[in-house]
Amino acid sequence: MSDRSQKRAKIEAPKENPYLAHLSPSERLVGGTAAKNPYGLAADHPLANFVIGETTAEQGEAAEEGDINPFTDKPFSDRYKKILAGRRKLPVNKHRKEFLDLIQNNQVVILVGETGSGKTTQIPQFMVFDELPAFKGKKIACTQPRRLAAMSVAQRVAEEMDVVMGQEVGYNIRFEDCTSQKTMLQYMTDGMLLREAMNDPLLSRYSAIILDEAHDRTLSTDILMGLMKEIIKKRSDLKVVVMSATLDAGKFQKYFDDAPLMSVPGRTFPVEIYYTPEPESDYLEAAIFTALQIHRTEDAGDILLFLTGEEEIEDACRKIKAEADQMPDAGPIKVLPLYSTLPPQAQKRIYEEAPPPRTSGGRPGRKVVVSTNLAETSLTIDGIVYVIDPGFSKQKVYNPRIRVESLLVSPISKASAQQRSGRAGRTRPGKCFRLYTENAFMKELIETTYPEILRSNLGTVVLQLKKLGIDDLVHFDFMDPPAPETLMRALELLNYLEALDDDGNMTPLGSMMADFPVDPQLAKMLIASPQYGCSNEIMSIVSLLNVPLVFMRPPDQRKMADEAKAQFSHPDGDHLSLLNVYHAYKTSGEDQKWCYDNFCNYRTLKSADNVRTQLKRYMERCDLDLVSLPFDERPKGSYYTGIRKALAAGYFMQVAHQERSGNYLTVKDNQVVRLHPSSCLDHNAEWVIYNEFVLTNQNYIRTVTEVKAEWLLDIAPNYFDLDSFPNCEGKRVLEKLIQRRKAGGGDRDRERDYDRDESRSKSRKSDRSDKDRKEKRRR
DNA sequence: GAGCACTGC
């Protein structure tokens, strides 16, 4: 006890300022001295007797049950009282005292709460009454991995506290800061808090930080947890609560040096689990069969089926619908797909009611939702009684050897299986059909899904850590330390980009790169772009690279869609086509109909424009010039040449060279790759840079633009140190080029670039017609 | 001649 009071020294009460008496407590706080503590409140104020860090559950509850809202000084509404009654029934409410005891006597508390426990809405409020953050000129933050959750929980809590959203309670997510000077409780995305930490490494604006959904183990949550361990050493006044849903809380507890753990039961209904007696050879077929079986034989109640991706889902939906419609002894069925790239209005259909029976008293109608992992955590569908879990999902994996991230259909974890089955018991008892054996569940499934940090390229993570002032990455206390090779790859990348020097220290350039909310390569490109006279264009291109594909291609209108896309094609590469699309979109007046007519995704373009506005703000903040080259500059083509050089300034490590065989080989790694068929690059380009390496049945490079070997040597001499190159044609070409330069032809070489550009474009046309003729002959 | 699980700044 005494230890704590030393840490959290009581604040001496200043004399109340009578001129502030007409203001609400939180308004009195802003900038005023009275604001510093609650003792500046009138004696009959609901919080008058509260001592920060020493309040009791009874005090908090009494204040909540009073007539006057202590944070606004307004009478509580009737709606508030109704909501309050509901809150009192949440499982977490019984643990208010226990929680306060723990948080008052410990700096870090781990809290395990199952779904429906109320932890996300109530715990932050418990803390508000104990911390009274506004009286200290501080705030309480509660992080969420997803934006939607941050927004909707904030909305809910604002209602529960009877305040206007964005005032005392608010949220802060990218593109939308819904907080004010008065905000004392702020929900936010974990990425947002991380970004804040990069500029305020002690997070001094907060008196308490709650990391919610920590079991999700997002990259940001993992970094934040490591950061919390650092910060609490330096800020004894900071309280930290780590909230998680799964049972592996012991791991969190251990990580935070045996912090106390509190467990709150959930409020869900029992779910009966069924396993298959034998392993299934074809999970898709088994899943469809099971869905139909349930539909024919089980009582009313909707079905949720988990599959791995869009194509599989659409396929399954068709088959289930077709077969169910053939069943004479079953009720009507409504089959609905759900995945993130589905347009929002199609996504909303999952909330539609199941169809009624064909005749009164007939077999029940049923809704079947066929979904990706989206329905496992991000979205909740009420009314689900039956869950079918084939046991697979697509997961990101990173291969540091070839530096490639890819998606792989993999078995899920036990935690994931549990989460899935839980979806059947939201509103009443349910059943979960696992399409694998109980033995497989027990012995083959891993406990929890590997955290993202073990499955990702860590370029951005390492840069962020450096920006946070963590110099010694090898000894940084990761909850799960990434493979040394993955860290090495990241350090190597950042060193070549000159974000880190040879000793691994962050350069001023690296510090600036970390400010941009994009991959390091793209950040480098943005920062270099003014030197190439084209920062306006690079901002547009980078924005489009940071949103999903803009080009729509409905299966039944492929030809039209491809024709529409061809209008934007630039012969030298896809990055320039993106620029064309952006420009056309802006010229259309950001017209939705124009997008529809041209097979462009309006929402995507709109969000790209949002991103661009943000990037522009960062560019200005970094004092980078916003410039364009004159379009009709002589020699011809220099406008696009400037842009391509700027692209190379960021992408010089993602280069492929075309061998005489016609194959492309990636530079240094010597992976055989092909241009993605969607590429608009229409001629044999010897050197290309690419945005993305897509690993499917074949190796593809996607979003590709032609560059010149000369540029690469100029831009990244360190990377193009040929001693480090494996033997290949590209290496020999570069060697010859270097020899020629040594012989003194360097500058003339560069002047001739543009001439060659023109001659190249001529030969390109003849290439094309050559090819066409050959095609015809073959037929 | 194609296949984008899901988030986030």
Side-chain angles (χ1 to χ4, degrees), chain A residues 556-567 597-599:
Chain A
D556 48 337
Q557 299 169 61
R558 287 199 185 151
K559 193 153 174 278
M560 295 243 298
D562 290 347
E563 279 166 15
K565 192 182 163 198
Q567 309 170 81
D597 292 341
N598 290 279
F599 290 89

Side-chain angles (χ1 to χ4, degrees), chain A residues 156-197:
Chain A
R156 171 69 192 178
V157 172
E159 284 164 18
E160 288 189 0
M161 296 188 78
D162 215 10
V163 299
V164 175
M165 162 79 122
Q167 297 296 311
E168 286 78 5
V169 175
Y171 64 87
N172 191 4
I173 59 178
R174 188 185 190 182
F175 304 128
E176 206 182 340
D177 181 0
C178 189
T179 67
S180 70
Q181 279 262 286
K182 286 186 190 171
T183 303
M184 53 186 190
L185 172 57
Q186 168 176 315
Y187 287 87
M188 65 203 301
T189 44
D190 47 13
M192 201 71 192
L193 186 62
L194 189 56
R195 211 139 264 284
E196 216 177 302

Side-chain angles (χ1 to χ4, degrees), chain A residues 14 174 186 231 252 270 307 354 361 377 443 467 478 482 594 622 694:
Chain A
R174 188 185 190 182
Q186 168 176 315
I231 296 180
F252 291 96
L307 291 178
T377 45
K443 297 196 176 138
K467 178 88 179 187
F478 290 105
W594 178 89
C622 291
V694 188

Side-chain angles (χ1 to χ4, degrees), chain A residues 16 25 72 96 173 186 199 238 241 285 315 321 326 329 382 404 450 465 510 516 548 578 643 657 668 672 687 689 756:
Chain A
E16 191 173 356
T72 61
R96 189 169 185 158
I173 59 178
Q186 168 176 315
N199 294 311
L238 181 74
V241 180
E285 203 178 285
D315 190 42
K321 174 81 180 142
Q326 300 291 311
D329 53 344
D382 282 328
V404 170
Y450 291 118
L465 287 170
F516 285 88
L578 292 179
I643 297 170
H657 177 256
K668 279 199 186 177
V672 179
W687 296 93
I689 46 145
R756 275 212 300 274

Side-chain angles (χ1 to χ4, degrees), chain A residues 495-563:
Chain A
N495 180 239
Y496 281 126
L497 290 171
E498 292 168 339
L500 302 179
D501 65 21
D502 292 345
D503 299 324
N505 298 313
M506 191 161 62
T507 62
L509 172 65
S511 173
M512 197 184 272
M513 281 166 62
D515 282 338
F516 285 88
V518 296
D519 287 345
Q521 293 94 315
L522 298 182
K524 174 72 186 278
M525 199 183 289
L526 283 165
I527 294 168
S529 61
Q531 292 161 238
Y532 298 92
C534 55
S535 43
N536 289 323
E537 288 76 8
I538 293 296
M539 283 191 297
S540 309
I541 294 170
V542 169
S543 306
L544 278 167
L545 292 172
N546 271 283
V547 294
L549 274 183
V550 282
F551 299 110
M552 313 268 281
R553 204 163 181 253
D556 48 337
Q557 299 169 61
R558 287 199 185 151
K559 193 153 174 278
M560 295 243 298
D562 290 347
E563 279 166 15

